[in-house]
Amino acid sequence: MTEVVLQTRGISKAFGAVQASTEISLDLRAGEIHALIGPNGAGKSTLIKQIAGNLAPDSGTVQFLGRDVTGLGTVARARMGLGRTFQISALAMEHTVLQNAVLGALGARGGVFRFFRDVMRNRELTEVAMQALERVGLQDQAATRTAELSHGQRRQLEVAVALTLGPRAFLMDEPMAGLGAEGSKHLTGLLDGLRAEAPILLVEHDMDAVFALADRISVLVYGRVIATGTGPEIRANAEVRQAYLGAEDAA
Amino acid sequence: MKRERAINAAVVLAMLVVPLWAWMADEPFILTLATKVAILALAGVGLNIALGLGGLVSFGHAAFFGIGGYAMGILASHVQSYTPLMEWPLLIEGSKSMPVIWVVAMMASGLAALVIGALSLRTSGVYFIMITLAFGQMLYYFAISWSAYGGEDGLSIYVRNGFPGLNTLDPVQFLLLCYAVLGVVLFGAARLARSPFGLALSAARQSAARVETVGIAPYRVRLVAFAISGAVTGLAGALYADLNRFVSPTMFSWHTSGEIMVFVILGGVARLFGPVAGAALYILLEHLLGGVSDYWQIWLGLLLLAVVLFARGGLIGTLAGREVAHD
Ligand SMILES: Nc1ncnc2c1ncn2[C@@H]1O[C@H](COP(=O)(O)OP(=O)(O)OP(=O)(O)O)[C@@H](O)[C@H]1O
Ligand SMILES: [Mg+2]
């Protein structure tokens, strides 16, 4: 059996009366893309936040690289090698695209508490950053202020910053949103190759991308995983068709 | 960026030409004003590291200004009264040497900033403003009640402290010394803004979640920034006390915190020369309008309102246009 990199065990989380996660157990194995799909408000982002360490689950545990990380914060999990992109871009908007990528490289390499040398002249960092920008296709925007990027480009930058970390696993929350046909195709190609470097837990609404990429798919409805399986298995699953895919499955 | 450099150069030029004129025209009062501008600007440069780069709206920087001032007052008063600072467990004498006083002032205010920051940086927004204000006021009342060092009346130091190789009693030499300190600190602040630390600090201001996600703890970065910021403002406090040859609890009062913040906002938040331009403008207004009316601060208030509403970048920001993130 392939190695499990990331795993949740019986995670539950309630916001008042809203049960956003109910006993969620899923795993991410080396070399795979595991897609997490579900209707709006199903609890996908909430699950990602609990795995990344932004939110503490009410019960259940998160294991990463064979370690129980439930008690660790976001920073510690990032340092262990958890790379993450946000559904709503969290970037330094006043900084340039390159500066955002350099920040990622800086975080991964350490040495934040240096006060004198120009960080943008540090070749070690800028090279890692430029490479990441090239991979997502943002190299021409390197000197652009991040606030001036389109929504899709910000998504790409999110991915690029995650790449600079050289992480052991990726959590991506809707990286394709707002990307357009051309951009989605490019990113699909990138993620396809990326799974060999580190497995990806991918939240995505773009069903074409999901079925093209995912080794396995988990379906989340009202905070509960109702099915996990390969693309064809999920397509064939009656409960899934009823609960979620029904309307879109006409084709 | 180019335009901002030209404006910075103009500010430097004005700060050199005015005293030069004052010196030739034998106007010692103007020299004192220029010295005051440099020292207050230094306090603002300190605050600007926390406020401009880090987005930490500290309303308690008077605490560090005051600690710097009292570091000078306490050290010098012991020399003045021929009593050691401490006899047991080891003998520590006072000092009338500026370099010694500066180091003590920066260490004491930096340490205080570390403690105050450690407690207040767990909050944000209005709570952060209120907690820093509260710490400042605490020290204010402490200074008032500290009778060993003058209590409410403060401490007078009869002769200005010395600096090796200079005659600090000469207003021109003291002015140049203050300019030199300001220049060195400005250089350091410019480097800091572009350093790895500066990038992490300014990114944490814009998105704490981003910084966390790349494995950097915003709290630690902000805490170190707050300590550096406090130490610089503390250095300014020591110089200010030396300029007046007097320290009093007023240095700790929240008015002082407000004034330091006004320098930064008037001149331009996060602009390297913002505090310099702001302090110069403030002293100029105080000097010009203060002669016309006792209520000159009303006009200052209106000006401040105009800056906040219509010219967010302050004097430098308005003239230089929007900041272009550095290459
Ligand atoms: N901080 C919060 N406080 C209260 N309720 C919340 C909070 N965060 C999420 N919720 C609720 O939890 C449920 C799951 O939200 P979540 O954002 O995880 O959904 P999602 O699957 O990511 O949806 P989308 O596809 O729209 O991104 C929703 O009903 C949402 O309103
Ligand atoms: Mg979501």
Side-chain angles (χ1 to χ4, degrees):
Chain A
M1 203 193 115
T2 38
E3 177 202 352
V4 171
V5 175
L6 186 66
Q7 191 176 31
T8 71
R9 285 199 195 141
I11 280 190
S12 294
K13 179 81 192 174
F15 296 114
V18 179
Q19 192 67 37
S21 310
T22 307
E23 289 286 323
I24 297 179
S25 297
L26 48 79
D27 58 19
L28 182 66
R29 299 174 193 157
E32 78 167 347
I33 293 180
H34 187 158
L36 186 64
I37 63 173
N40 290 109
K44 304 179 295 294
S45 296
T46 302
L47 178 63
I48 295 281
K49 283 175 197 159
Q50 292 172 89
I51 297 175
N54 303 92
L55 262 182
D58 296 337
S59 61
T61 62
V62 180
Q63 323 259 333
F64 181 43
L65 303 175
R67 213 176 126 187
D68 186 340
V69 296
T70 319
L72 297 183
T74 324
V75 174
R77 294 188 205 189
R79 296 202 71 89
M80 281 180 72
L82 201 53
R84 185 252 174 110
T85 74
F86 291 86
Q87 180 175 5
I88 297 161
S89 295
L91 296 162
M93 288 296 171
E94 294 164 31
H95 282 326
T96 64
V97 168
L98 184 60
Q99 280 175 312
N100 272 281
V102 164
L103 180 72
L106 176 66
R109 308 214 154 204
V112 171
F113 292 95
R114 285 177 298 168
F115 304 89
F116 209 66
R117 287 254 168 80
D118 192 335
V119 67
M120 300 310 284
R121 295 239 169 97
N122 184 330
R123 292 286 296 274
E124 239 183 291
L125 299 179
T126 51
E127 266 165 28
V128 172
M130 261 331 274
Q131 265 167 23
L133 292 181
E134 273 161 29
R135 287 183 78 179
V136 302
L138 276 180
Q139 67 278 14
D140 295 337
Q141 271 73 42
T144 308
R145 253 173 114 239
T146 304
E148 278 152 30
L149 295 185
S150 69
H151 269 288
Q153 287 172 320
R154 288 179 196 174
R155 269 309 116 64
Q156 288 174 303
L157 181 53
E158 288 265 343
V159 175
V161 178
L163 286 175
T164 62
L165 303 178
R168 304 288 301 273
F170 288 99
L171 304 173
M172 296 192 183
D173 200 348
E174 301 196 22
M176 312 265 180
L179 221 49
E182 182 71 17
S184 304
K185 224 178 102 195
H186 181 86
L187 194 55
T188 304
L190 174 65
L191 297 191
D192 196 10
L194 200 57
R195 76 181 100 194
E197 288 170 40
I200 306 170
L201 183 62
L202 176 68
V203 173
E204 192 45 69
H205 276 301
D206 180 340
M207 286 305 139
D208 292 336
V210 166
F211 283 101
L213 282 172
D215 299 289
R216 290 188 301 151
I217 299 171
S218 288
V219 183
L220 200 63
V221 177
Y222 292 122
R224 220 178 262 283
V225 175
I226 60 166
T228 297
T230 62
E233 281 167 10
I234 292 299
R235 270 190 219 273
N237 185 305
E239 202 183 346
V240 174
R241 294 172 76 109
Q242 192 193 1
Y244 178 54
L245 287 174
E248 293 176 30
D249 212 33
Chain B
M1 208 68 202
K2 256 199 189 135
R3 216 152 116 197
E4 185 168 340
R5 273 207 200 120
I7 293 161
N8 293 349
V11 172
V12 172
L13 200 68
M15 292 208 25
L16 290 174
V17 167
V18 170
L20 189 68
W21 166 79
W23 177 60
M24 290 194 305
D26 199 22
E27 293 262 13
F29 180 64
I30 303 287
L31 286 178
T32 303
L33 281 188
T35 313
K36 194 170 167 186
V37 167
I39 293 170
L40 295 178
L42 185 65
V45 172
L47 177 63
N48 210 13
I49 292 171
L51 178 64
L53 267 190
L56 308 170
V57 186
S58 164
F59 206 170
H61 260 51
F64 314 125
F65 196 65
I67 287 173
Y70 270 81
M72 174 298 212
I74 291 170
L75 285 172
S77 71
H78 280 276
V79 174
Q80 200 162 270
S81 62
Y82 302 103
T83 51
L85 200 62
M86 189 163 97
E87 282 177 288
W88 192 88
L90 68 172
L91 181 74
I92 298 179
E93 305 268 8
S95 175
K96 290 281 291 174
S97 158
M98 283 191 193
V100 174
I101 289 168
W102 294 350
V103 169
V104 173
M106 289 180 77
M107 280 185 3
S109 52
L111 204 67
L114 210 57
V115 173
I116 293 176
L119 297 168
S120 51
L121 284 169
R122 297 189 187 282
T123 65
S124 61
V126 178
Y127 298 101
F128 181 77
I129 299 176
M130 286 300 147
I131 290 187
T132 50
L133 172 66
F135 274 113
Q137 287 302 97
M138 243 167 68
L139 287 173
Y140 172 67
Y141 288 111
F142 176 77
I144 283 184
S145 61
W146 203 10
S147 53
Y149 293 107
E152 214 168 343
D153 300 329
L155 284 169
S156 280
I157 303 300
Y158 305 125
V159 181
R160 186 170 287 153
N161 296 303
F163 190 91
L166 291 182
N167 173 13
T168 52
L169 301 181
D170 172 12
V172 174
Q173 290 190 37
F174 185 57
L175 170 71
L176 292 177
L177 181 62
C178 291
Y179 273 14
V181 172
L182 177 62
V184 168
V185 171
L186 278 173
F187 175 72
R191 297 302 302 240
L192 182 93
R194 290 167 152 261
S195 70
F197 180 77
L199 179 65
L201 179 60
S202 56
R205 179 191 75 228
Q206 298 166 57
S207 170
R210 165 48 55 207
V211 171
E212 285 176 358
T213 305
V214 301
I216 300 171
Y219 176 79
R220 290 180 55 195
V221 172
R222 289 176 179 148
L223 184 55
V224 171
F226 202 68
I228 295 172
S229 169
V232 171
T233 299
L235 176 60
L239 283 170
Y240 192 71
D242 237 327
L243 172 69
N244 301 321
R245 274 163 275 156
F246 176 64
V247 268
S248 78
T250 319
M251 281 183 82
F252 280 116
S253 99
W254 64 272
H255 296 98
T256 306
S257 292
E259 278 176 20
I260 300 173
M261 203 184 283
V262 166
F263 306 148
V264 175
I265 294 172
L266 267 187
V269 175
R271 306 288 177 154
L272 183 61
F273 272 74
V276 183
L281 187 62
Y282 185 93
I283 297 299
L284 196 70
L285 287 176
E286 184 179 46
H287 187 57
L288 294 181
L289 298 176
V292 179
S293 152
D294 284 343
Y295 300 108
W296 74 278
Q297 298 226 354
I298 293 176
W299 300 104
L300 176 75
L302 285 176
L303 180 68
L304 207 58
L305 206 63
V307 166
V308 171
L309 290 178
F310 306 113
R312 293 299 282 271
L315 196 62
I316 303 243
T318 306
L319 295 175
R322 194 178 67 193
E323 183 183 19
V324 181
H326 70 247
D327 43 277

